[in-house]
Amino acid sequence: MSERIATYAEFWPFYLREHSKPVTRWLHFVGTSLGLGIATVAVRSGRGALIPAALVCAYGLAWVGHFGIEKNRPATFKYPLWSFISDFRMLGLMAVGQLGPHLERAQAGASLPPAPAASKAV
């Protein structure tokens, strides 16, 4: 993408397309969750030295997904705030099982499992 995305509404589908593979999304989910957990322990225990570990977990796992699996450049480099927000939005939607429709609308759901077939009435 050579031009900057102007609105978050345009960014969200782009973000999802950059996370089209389930493994990448799960690396983000695990990394963000671990990062949050470590950051929480750091704050509650007053051990600020743990903050770098939280960042390494969160960004390290995410970047493995981008560079190693998706073969793309993390959106964080160009859109840090929107990427940060979207990481948590994706985590929340994954946690409640509601990410699928967003992926489909963004045309990022090629790697989603097929929807279950409707049962036939006999």
Side-chain angles (χ1 to χ4, degrees), residues 8 11-12 15-16 18-19 24-33 36 55 57-63 66 74-77 79-95 99:
Y8 183 76
F11 177 79
W12 176 239
Y15 176 91
L16 292 175
E18 295 293 293
H19 299 81
T24 302
R25 294 190 296 270
W26 281 106
L27 283 169
H28 273 66
F29 186 92
V30 170
T32 301
S33 298
L36 277 173
L55 294 172
C57 282
Y59 285 105
L61 288 175
W63 291 357
H66 285 289
T76 299
F77 296 151
Y79 303 97
L81 180 60
W82 285 349
S83 293
F84 183 76
I85 291 165
S86 295
D87 285 344
F88 286 98
R89 183 178 184 186
M90 184 170 70
L91 182 141
L93 288 167
M94 287 175 73
L99 186 61

Side-chain angles (χ1 to χ4, degrees), residues 25-77:
R25 294 190 296 270
W26 281 106
L27 283 169
H28 273 66
F29 186 92
V30 170
T32 301
S33 298
L34 282 173
L36 277 173
I38 293 169
T40 300
V41 168
V43 169
R44 293 182 135 220
S45 67
R47 296 172 56 195
L50 290 174
I51 296 298
L55 294 172
V56 167
C57 282
Y59 285 105
L61 288 175
W63 291 357
V64 165
H66 285 289
F67 293 120
I69 296 166
E70 296 281 350
K71 308 290 188 210
N72 63 23
R73 189 171 179 250
T76 299
F77 296 151

Side-chain angles (χ1 to χ4, degrees), residues 94-107:
M94 287 175 73
V96 297
Q98 297 298 313
L99 186 61
H102 293 262
L103 292 168
E104 290 170 13
R105 280 193 299 274
Q107 298 177 349

